[in-house]
Amino acid sequence: MVQKEAEGELSQLFENQLYKSISLRRSSHEERILKLKKIREWIKTHQEDIRKALWQDFNKPAPEVDLNEIFPVTSEINHAIKNLKSWMAPKKVSTPLPMIGTSAWIQVEPKGRSLIISPWNFPFNLTIGPLVSAIAAGCTAIIKPSEFSPKTSELIARLIRDLFEEDEIAVCLGEVEVSTELLKLPFDHIFFTGSPTVGKIVMKAAAQHLSSVTLELGGKSPVIIDSSADLKDAAQKIIWGKFVNCGQTCIAPDYILVHDSIKDQFIMQAKIQIQGYYDPSFNGIEKSTDYARIINLKHFQRLQNMLNDALVKGGQIAFGGKTEISSKYFEPTLIAAISSEMSVFKEEIFGPILPILTYNNLQEAIDLINSQPKPLALYFFGTNSSHSKKVMDETSSGNMVINDCVLHFLHNELPFGGVNNSGIGKAHGYHGFLAFSNEKGVLKQRVGYNNVSLLRPPYGIKAKQIISSLIKWF
Ligand code: NAD
């Protein structure tokens, strides 16, 4: 295990990556692809170790590890391998008339030394995923995984130690102090995934060095269920998206806004789905090996307080509510009769509690969403396309999904990320590659030719005429 807590050691490690980061500017797509293939191979041969680490961290079921931790990473790798040559190729741009005679293109170059700080909820995916983008872009990286998922963090350290020299990629394990020390260093790019509160700390630290940032944050992602929705289909998708990973998913539906006329039918469908997914034989959901646990006691207590707060303030449990502190088991829970004073309404839930609010006309739902910070994802269920378009046009969110939820994370052609409070910058595929790249605009002029020769001082009448026609026509 690499423990690098001493300030001097961290800055030495950072210094050691300087030479490598410069030499990586010249690395070819083949060299970068080779590194990605090595990671893919390591994952293949250590799949059981990855499953074991995540089970030890919070009982994440093996199929969820395969689907939500491993597959997004291997898919990201495969997508980069397929496209990296074209992503790296100089992109010619057209020549505007006043630039006639020149040629110009966009040359991507690696930003240089990057820092990746990751959370505990999808600790493998959300660490190695951004690393794939960093490697594709030709950056070095120092990785600080979460202290709350220690087994997976140790496994990540092993992966990196097995495949890379520390002057290219290194892992720094430890608590918040390690992040704090790392954030004092002048990284060229910081890719942070975590809460908006810590995102602000990261951005403030980055500002000291004008390091660029990608902030993949959280927030409250709403689900609108229109009166035109197929409720069985909606419930099947929403219940999976909400309770996978025990609700500890940044893009999980945070709350439901269902049309008042179909609320009871939706709740009935939602209960059927929870029962069907996690307890088809009625033995108790706590017996299911397909349902994860809350990561630690701090978060368990936070969620318990949230639930108690809702109940004290008039919330009604429509399903679930059972908890067991010793195993950190928290039943999938639906609550109705929500009011704006409740913490389930005000704070990101990040756990298996699903508040159900109602609306009578779509504008009400839109106004409610617009009165809150912009969400990471917004989900709309319904077949009325003028309603989905209205929601699309009149709200702002990092991503929007119609008639499904969470699925967009796996679409590697789409930019993934938030907007303002839910994030800055985008990840995945080409967008992730660009996050770690500087798009250098290059202009090439012919020797002896000058587009502005007539425009040099002393400014005569001709120069003035040309300048006015430039303003008028171009
Ligand atoms: P967090 O912000 O508490 O921690 C994330 C990382 O930051 C950890 O590695 C932690 O060690 C470090 N950190 C914590 N406090 C710090 C500080 N004061 N200074 C510097 N570094 C610090 O988040 P978390 O609890 O690990 O994850 C949950 C949050 O992450 C939720 O808000 C969730 O929505 C969000 N999230 C977002 C995405 C996304 O892709 N947008 C994905 C997963 C989680």
Side-chain angles (χ1 to χ4, degrees), residues 16-32:
N16 293 347
Q17 292 198 340
L18 179 62
Y19 176 76
K20 189 71 173 184
S21 72
I22 293 169
S23 72
L24 284 178
R25 285 184 196 152
R26 295 188 306 273
S27 59
S28 64
H29 71 276
E30 287 100 338
E31 288 165 317
R32 298 180 194 181

Side-chain angles (χ1 to χ4, degrees), residues 7-73:
E7 191 180 342
E9 253 182 89
L10 293 177
S11 51
Q12 189 56 55
L13 177 60
F14 179 70
E15 274 314 305
N16 293 347
Q17 292 198 340
L18 179 62
Y19 176 76
K20 189 71 173 184
S21 72
I22 293 169
S23 72
L24 284 178
R25 285 184 196 152
R26 295 188 306 273
S27 59
S28 64
H29 71 276
E30 287 100 338
E31 288 165 317
R32 298 180 194 181
I33 284 172
L34 208 63
K35 292 173 198 171
L36 297 179
K37 283 184 174 166
K38 279 204 250 171
I39 296 180
R40 189 175 60 185
E41 189 53 33
W42 195 96
I43 292 173
K44 204 169 134 197
T45 52
H46 294 79
Q47 188 159 354
E48 204 43 58
D49 295 349
I50 301 171
R51 289 178 183 154
K52 192 170 156 202
L54 280 149
W55 181 262
Q56 289 174 330
D57 280 337
F58 59 114
N59 292 37
K60 194 180 285 223
E64 289 191 11
V65 173
D66 291 355
L67 179 65
N68 303 327
E69 299 275 5
I70 294 177
F71 170 63
V73 172

Side-chain angles (χ1 to χ4, degrees), residues 117-122 126 144-148 174-176 179-180 183 192-196 198-199 201-202 215-219 249-251 299 348 350 376 409 416-418 422:
I117 302 178
S118 54
W120 53 264
N121 63 328
F122 290 91
L126 297 175
K144 156 64 182 84
S146 176
E147 64 279 23
F148 291 161
E175 311 264 328
V176 171
S179 289
T180 307
L183 285 169
F192 170 79
T193 308
S195 58
V198 180
I201 296 171
V202 170
L215 303 177
E216 294 286 343
L217 310 177
T249 304
C250 57
I251 46 174
H299 279 281
E348 178 182 7
F350 214 60
L376 185 57
F409 188 91
F416 176 85
S422 55

Side-chain angles (χ1 to χ4, degrees), residues 106-275:
I106 298 164
Q107 182 85 46
V108 278
E109 60 182 22
K111 279 188 177 167
R113 286 178 288 180
S114 71
L115 171 63
I116 296 171
I117 302 178
S118 54
W120 53 264
N121 63 328
F122 290 91
F124 189 78
N125 171 357
L126 297 175
T127 307
I128 306 302
L131 180 67
V132 170
S133 299
I135 292 171
C139 289
T140 61
I142 293 180
I143 298 168
K144 156 64 182 84
S146 176
E147 64 279 23
F148 291 161
S149 45
K151 295 293 176 198
T152 313
S153 296
E154 281 168 30
L155 176 120
I156 288 166
R158 180 147 69 93
L159 181 163
I160 299 303
R161 226 177 20 241
D162 285 354
L163 302 183
F164 297 96
E165 296 297 327
E166 275 204 341
D167 69 345
E168 183 170 359
I169 299 169
V171 176
C172 297
L173 298 177
E175 311 264 328
V176 171
E177 298 70 40
V178 176
S179 289
T180 307
E181 287 309 320
L182 286 167
L183 285 169
K184 290 179 185 162
L185 301 168
F187 282 95
D188 297 300
H189 188 68
I190 300 172
F191 192 108
F192 170 79
T193 308
S195 58
T197 306
V198 180
K200 288 175 194 168
I201 296 171
V202 170
M203 194 160 173
K204 204 165 169 184
Q208 298 309 308
H209 305 290
L210 294 176
S211 306
S212 58
V213 289
T214 304
L215 303 177
E216 294 286 343
L217 310 177
K220 294 180 81 63
S221 296
V223 182
I224 295 178
I225 306 179
D226 189 58
S227 52
S228 65
D230 175 329
L231 293 179
K232 185 174 175 198
D233 178 72
Q236 280 172 344
K237 293 164 178 172
I238 293 167
I239 294 307
W240 183 77
K242 175 67 189 183
F243 297 109
V244 68
N245 215 38
C246 200
Q248 302 163 112
T249 304
C250 57
I251 46 174
D254 185 89
Y255 64 100
I256 302 282
L257 278 165
V258 60
H259 193 274
D260 195 44
S261 62
I262 50 169
K263 177 192 125 194
D264 293 339
Q265 286 157 272
F266 171 71
I267 290 179
M268 191 185 74
Q269 285 296 339
K271 288 181 189 178
I272 294 172
Q273 293 312 324
I274 298 175
Q275 198 67 47

Side-chain angles (χ1 to χ4, degrees), residues 32 102 131 187 302 367 372 454:
R32 298 180 194 181
T102 66
L131 180 67
F187 282 95
R302 178 185 64 78
D367 291 346
Q372 309 286 318
L454 290 168

Side-chain angles (χ1 to χ4, degrees), residues 253-306:
D254 185 89
Y255 64 100
I256 302 282
L257 278 165
V258 60
H259 193 274
D260 195 44
S261 62
I262 50 169
K263 177 192 125 194
D264 293 339
Q265 286 157 272
F266 171 71
I267 290 179
M268 191 185 74
Q269 285 296 339
K271 288 181 189 178
I272 294 172
Q273 293 312 324
I274 298 175
Q275 198 67 47
Y277 287 161
Y278 299 112
D279 190 20
S281 313
F282 293 87
N283 293 325
I285 297 176
E286 63 276 19
K287 304 247 167 53
S288 170
T289 50
D290 292 337
Y291 187 62
R293 294 295 182 263
I294 302 301
I295 184 75
N296 56 29
L297 284 177
K298 184 181 136 201
H299 279 281
F300 182 88
Q301 208 51 62
R302 178 185 64 78
L303 288 159
Q304 185 73 71
N305 293 344
M306 240 181 192

Side-chain angles (χ1 to χ4, degrees), residues 351-372:
I353 305 172
L354 185 59
I356 299 168
L357 287 78
T358 57
Y359 67 90
N360 286 303
N361 68 69
L362 192 56
Q363 194 59 49
E364 252 180 69
I366 291 172
D367 291 346
L368 176 71
I369 291 167
N370 285 339
S371 70
Q372 309 286 318

